[in-house]
Amino acid sequence: MGLLQKILIPVLGLVLAFCFYSSRENFKPEMLKGKRVIVTGASTGIGEQMAYHLARMGAHVLVTARTEAKLQQVNGKLGTHTCTHRHREANLTLQVVERCRALGASSARLVSGSMEDMATTRQLVEVAEAELGGLDMLILNHVGKSYFNYFDGDVGHVQKLLNINFLSYVAMTVSALPMLKRSGGSIVVVSSMAGKVGFPFTVPYSATKFALDGFFSSLRQEFSIQSVNVSITLCILGFIDTENAMRAAADVLLMSPAPKEECALEIIKGGTLRQREVYYRYASTKLPLLLRDWAAELLDLLVRQRYRPERLRAA
Ligand SMILES: NC(=O)c1ccc[n+]([C@@H]2O[C@H](COP(=O)([O-])OP(=O)(O)OC[C@H]3O[C@@H](n4cnc5c(N)ncnc54)[C@H](OP(=O)(O)O)[C@@H]3O)[C@@H](O)[C@H]2O)c1
Ligand SMILES: *[C@@H]1O[C@H](CO)[C@@H](O)[C@H](O)[C@H]1NC(C)=O
């Protein structure tokens, strides 16, 4: 009886706590009305879809990508032969902004710059402060281009990717924190299953995503100790059907991708409800992760079985 009590009561408590925790608030699109939101890496993929959802919900949307920085570079230094191509890319991002306006955004803006450069991150946040007068949600989503193949030993590439995928997230957070503290705002960090378990063929990328978990999970603990009312939501995504991901991995991965539109909505919901982590899709992310600490080798094996290495493109 004693033992039963010792086990049963805590387990029951946990189950009840979980039920309470998971049903404490429901998402309503009105929650985003008039909120000031930055979405980084919103020229394509999941970021673009998040911008459209936020626009429909009536938020002030500020999207970022490199496009115009590239354009300025072209005008300043590079040859004119690439000009039309760069213009097309810039126009694509402007189309995102136009569409956000048409969908009902309270306002929509584009700020461009490469996240490889920490000065840019500061400028982006300064623009947000000047134009929006504050910030309610910072959605960090951009990722630099990498390869999908065996690790090639290029240390310089790992460093560059760490700058874009990790350090810029840190720098943006530091710059935006005063505004987020004032608004009781939220930070949403888009990560991946590859940031929780070792996946093959994305070694530099995985390293940057693991780094995000370490930084933001530690920071969340400090916010909690110091009663800083800024939520941090880490998003663990499986395979999503964005153009870039499909091009890189669809041949090699034995997995059906989940839709980017629904993925984008789940990220916004989780961030708005100030959840600790978002898992999408739940069954293909949260459930396998239950094995991680108890049967790591089994999980490694299950992961490897999802890959067809013979279909990798020659590097
Ligand atoms: N798709 C998946 O299967 C999947 C799975 C797990 C996690 N995720 C995560 O979900 C997020 C979005 O993925 P996605 O597939 O939607 O990506 P994506 O379509 O490749 O979009 C990446 C975005 O980042 C921007 N970007 C690239 N390099 C940049 C730089 N140096 N500076 C500033 N911006 C830069 C790109 O715009 P420009 O090129 O115009 O700058 C683009 O808007 C990422 O964090 C990714 O790790 C995706
Ligand atoms: C923290 O911020 C949220 C959202 O802005 C707000 O609903 C909540 O009341 C705040 N909590 C405290 C303790 O100030």
Side-chain angles (χ1 to χ4, degrees), residues 49-66:
Q49 298 305 319
M50 287 196 278
Y52 298 150
H53 283 302
L54 290 162
R56 280 187 211 102
M57 294 167 189
H60 294 276
V61 188
L62 195 155
V63 300
T64 81
R66 279 171 305 177

Side-chain angles (χ1 to χ4, degrees), residues 57-307:
M57 294 167 189
H60 294 276
V61 188
L62 195 155
V63 300
T64 81
R66 279 171 305 177
T67 43
E68 267 184 11
K70 282 193 251 173
L71 199 64
Q72 278 157 17
Q73 228 180 19
V74 169
N75 292 337
K77 284 239 163 62
L78 302 177
T80 45
H81 60 282
T82 50
C83 226
T84 48
H85 176 60
R86 302 299 193 198
H87 273 294
R88 196 179 55 81
E89 283 181 5
N91 285 337
L92 277 180
T93 314
L94 286 172
Q95 274 170 29
V96 174
V97 171
E98 292 291 306
R99 183 144 177 225
C100 283
R101 291 194 184 120
L103 287 171
S106 285
S107 70
R109 289 177 180 77
L110 161 70
V111 184
S112 60
S114 174
M115 295 287 188
E116 207 183 326
D117 175 8
M118 295 313 123
T120 311
T121 64
R122 223 171 320 138
Q123 285 160 12
L124 289 178
V125 175
E126 279 164 13
V127 171
E129 181 144 37
E131 304 247 324
L132 302 176
L135 188 66
D136 298 292
M137 190 181 281
L138 174 64
I139 304 182
L140 297 167
N141 165 78
H142 64 275
V143 276
K145 213 169 159 41
S146 191
Y147 53 86
F148 189 83
N149 217 314
Y150 291 100
F151 178 51
D152 64 4
D154 183 348
V155 179
H157 175 71
V158 178
Q159 184 157 34
K160 180 177 165 168
L161 214 59
L162 272 168
N163 277 344
I164 301 170
N165 295 6
F166 172 64
L167 271 182
S168 73
Y169 280 46
V170 173
M172 291 279 291
T173 297
V174 170
S175 303
L177 204 52
M179 282 195 284
L180 291 170
K181 281 182 178 171
R182 262 185 271 139
S183 64
S186 307
I187 300 168
V188 178
V189 178
V190 180
S191 186
S192 165
M193 273 295 270
K196 289 275 188 190
V197 211
F199 276 14
F201 313 131
T202 50
V203 167
Y205 170 84
S206 297
T208 66
K209 292 298 194 187
F210 266 81
L212 289 174
D213 195 350
F215 180 83
F216 284 99
S217 299
S218 301
L219 193 65
R220 192 193 293 110
Q221 290 280 47
E222 295 190 358
F223 283 2
S224 178
I225 292 170
Q226 298 173 302
S227 304
V228 171
N229 192 16
V230 176
S231 63
I232 296 179
T233 302
L234 185 72
C235 305
I236 311 305
L237 310 182
F239 186 27
I240 313 296
D241 68 356
T242 66
E243 235 174 87
N244 284 338
M246 294 297 284
R247 197 181 314 122
D251 292 344
V252 181
L253 265 182
L254 298 172
M255 245 187 275
S256 51
K260 56 184 190 273
E261 297 82 2
E262 185 181 59
C263 176
L265 186 59
E266 289 308 307
I267 294 171
I268 292 169
K269 282 184 186 174
T272 306
L273 297 178
R274 304 172 85 81
Q275 283 168 4
R276 185 179 186 279
E277 291 184 328
V278 167
Y279 288 87
Y280 182 82
R281 285 182 162 144
Y282 195 83
S284 56
T285 53
K286 185 77 181 181
L287 297 183
L289 278 175
L290 294 176
L291 288 175
R292 190 179 65 161
D293 295 331
W294 297 94
E297 277 158 359
L298 174 61
L299 180 55
D300 282 352
L301 178 69
L302 293 175
V303 167
R304 285 198 300 276
Q305 282 179 344
R306 295 299 185 115
Y307 286 79

